[in-house]
Structure formats: C-alpha cells, structure tokens
C-alpha cells in the first residue's frame, strides 16, 4: 500500500480541478440556447461580432435545423431557437466521463456500483473517496488526468479566460520569472513550458500542458524559495488584476 504522502500532490490537483468543474459545469446548460442571457449579463452588444464567431453560429444553426428536421429536436421553452451542438457535445462527454470514472474507481476499490446521480453529486462522491484512492498511485493519477481533461473541456466550451496575475520572484525549479497567480484555483503556477520539477508524481513530468503549481498551503514554502512575498500572493488572489502574460 502506498503512503498518502506519495500521492499528496496528485490529490491536491484532483481537488482543485474538481472544484473548477463543479463550479463551471452547471453553466453549460445555460449556454445551450443562444441568446439566453442571465439577469446580470447586461444588454447585448450592438457592435458586429468577429467573422469567425458569426460563421460558427451560422454553422451551428444549420446543423441544428437539420437535426430538428430529421429528429424533431428543439430546446424546451425557446421556440425554434437552435441548440448549440458543441455545448451539447461537451455536456454529454463530461457526463459520460464522470459516470465512467466513478464506476471505474468503485470497481478498483471493490465498492458497490454507485447509484445514479447528477454529475455534481458524482464529483463530490469521488472527492469523498480520496483517502482510499490515495493507496493506489496509478488510480490517483488516472482520476486527476480525467478530471483535469473534463474541466479543461468545460472551460474551453464556455470560452472562459482565467484571470492570471503576475507574481514577483523566480520559479524554484527553472529559475525563470514565470510565476503567476490563478485566483480561480487559489494557486500559483509556473507558466514556463520548459519547467519540469523533480517530483515524480507531479503532472508536469508526463503532460506537456501541465504546469507545476503551489496550492494555498504551500505559499509560504514558495515564498522562501522564490523570493516573492506571501502577502503579494494573497493580494493577487483576493484583489486580482488581470495581466496578459
């Protein structure tokens, strides 16, 4: 049996990515009907949209109309408004992925097959299983990789651009001035694509898209190693000013 300390960084990632997915997944349903806007979203922009977005919307409408003609599909409560197929595909992919992941985890841990439940409830049940998952490093990494993949797809579908705040100091691993605060995750990441740490269970070891991160309970450690101040990191998290990097 593996010591939980061996998989602690992986488990922290699972918690961070799951929190992101729990927060954003419900927003996908709101995006299914084009033109549906929340009460706080303000008036629709009057200026022209970029041509690429216009073409995407036209293509979605053409495909949606074909589906409606063939199968009678429609969005309840929105008349003939076309469904947004790329959003629908993302919802289906994430829903199927979460169901399959929870069932695979329960099978590996010799637990009964989980009862049916909404995606958010299943994600919370997975987090509740982190202690037994920690005893299986390969399973922990699989859970992290799948949750991360689905969280990224959710964010891409919503078109979200995560706020990034520059942090002073140098990365303890690559010595570059590439430390950035990500308030949505309450974590500091090194955004240098070439940075690879020495922790064998860190995702930066085998995923080119992954960046080494320091969660909140490691900011003091990062501060001592990088030359930045914990007060600066906390300020970046609590009062972020978006910075292009």
């Amino acid at each position: 049996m593996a010591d939980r300390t061996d998989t602690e960084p992986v488990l922290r990632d699972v918690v961070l990515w799951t929190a992101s997915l729990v927060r954003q997944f419900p927003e996908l349903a709101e995006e299914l009907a084009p033109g549906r806007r929340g009460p706080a979203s303000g008036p629709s922009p009057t200026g022209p949209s970029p041509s690429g977005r216009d073409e995407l919307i036209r293509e979605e409408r053409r495909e949606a109309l074909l589906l409606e003609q063939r199968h009678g599909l429609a969005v309840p409560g929105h008349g003939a408004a076309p469904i947004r197929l790329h959003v629908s595909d993302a919802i289906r992919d994430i829903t199927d992925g979460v169901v399959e992941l929870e069932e695979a985890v329960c099978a590996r841990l010799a637990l009964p097959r989980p009862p049916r439940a909404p995606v958010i409830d299943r994600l919370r049940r997975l987090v509740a299983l982190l202690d037994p998952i920690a005893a299986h490093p390969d399973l922990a990494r699989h859970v992290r990789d799948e949750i991360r993949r689905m969280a990224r797809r959710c964010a891409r579908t919503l078109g979200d651009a995560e706020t990034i705040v520059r942090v002073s100091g140098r990365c303890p691993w690559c010595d570059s001035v590439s430390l950035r605060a990500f308030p949505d995750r309450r974590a500091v990441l090194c955004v240098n694509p070439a940075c690879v740490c020495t922790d064998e269970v860190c995702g930066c070891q085998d995923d080119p898209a992954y960046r080494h991160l320091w969660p909140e309970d490691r900011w003091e450690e990062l501060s001592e190693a990088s030359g930045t101040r914990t007060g600066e990191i906390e300020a970046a998290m609590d009062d972020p000013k978006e910075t292009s990097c």
Side-chain angles (χ1 to χ4, degrees):
M1 299 286 282
D3 190 314
R4 178 172 175 136
T5 57
D6 295 336
T7 54
E8 196 68 42
V10 176
L11 299 179
R12 282 197 297 263
D13 289 350
V14 171
V15 172
L16 286 169
W17 287 109
T18 302
S20 173
L21 190 53
V22 166
R23 183 177 66 252
Q24 292 189 315
F25 182 75
E27 297 177 22
L28 290 177
E30 299 175 7
E31 291 292 320
L32 270 179
R36 183 179 182 184
R37 303 176 64 84
S41 57
S44 299
T46 55
S49 299
S51 59
R53 180 170 177 79
D54 288 345
E55 180 56 36
L56 175 61
I57 292 173
R58 284 195 293 269
E59 181 63 27
E60 287 174 353
R61 287 175 177 168
R62 283 194 294 269
E63 293 179 358
L65 287 172
L66 283 174
L67 280 175
E68 288 174 355
Q69 290 170 359
R70 293 173 184 169
H71 306 290
L73 294 177
V75 179
H78 295 278
I83 58 175
R84 305 188 68 185
L85 295 181
H86 72 290
V87 178
S88 179
D89 286 346
I91 290 174
R92 184 172 60 251
D93 172 53
I94 293 170
T95 300
D96 291 347
V98 171
V99 171
E100 292 170 3
L101 180 61
E102 187 185 23
E103 290 184 348
V105 167
C106 288
R108 178 67 181 274
L109 298 178
L111 298 174
R113 185 174 182 177
R116 296 180 62 178
V119 166
I120 302 304
D121 291 344
R122 286 181 179 271
L123 287 169
R124 288 171 176 156
R125 290 194 311 219
L126 278 168
V127 171
L129 291 173
L130 286 185
D131 278 338
I133 287 173
H136 306 274
D138 59 331
L139 178 62
R141 290 170 70 88
H142 175 67
V143 171
R144 180 206 55 196
D145 293 347
E146 279 298 295
I147 295 291
R148 182 174 63 199
R149 176 189 69 79
M150 291 184 283
R152 284 173 174 168
R153 175 156 192 187
C154 186
R156 284 197 307 269
T157 303
L158 291 171
D160 284 356
E162 189 172 5
T163 300
I164 304 174
V165 184
R166 192 182 301 273
V167 176
S168 65
R170 291 184 174 274
C171 171
W173 298 113
C174 65
D175 199 40
S176 64
V177 286
S178 52
L179 296 176
R180 303 291 184 269
F182 288 72
D184 289 349
R185 298 182 231 179
R186 291 197 66 79
V188 178
L189 280 71
C190 174
V191 297
N192 176 13
C195 181
V196 178
C197 72
T198 59
D199 188 343
E200 294 182 356
V201 297
C202 181
C204 70
Q205 293 283 326
D206 55 14
D207 184 350
Y210 186 86
R211 300 290 178 264
H212 187 87
L213 64 80
W214 290 265
E216 190 167 2
D217 61 359
R218 297 184 63 191
W219 291 350
E220 185 173 348
E221 170 192 330
L222 172 63
S223 176
E224 295 174 355
S226 68
T228 189
R229 295 175 294 105
T230 54
E232 179 187 355
I233 297 174
E234 291 170 357
M237 299 296 176
D238 296 334
D239 187 21
K241 295 180 181 179
E242 192 167 349
T243 305
S244 58
C245 304

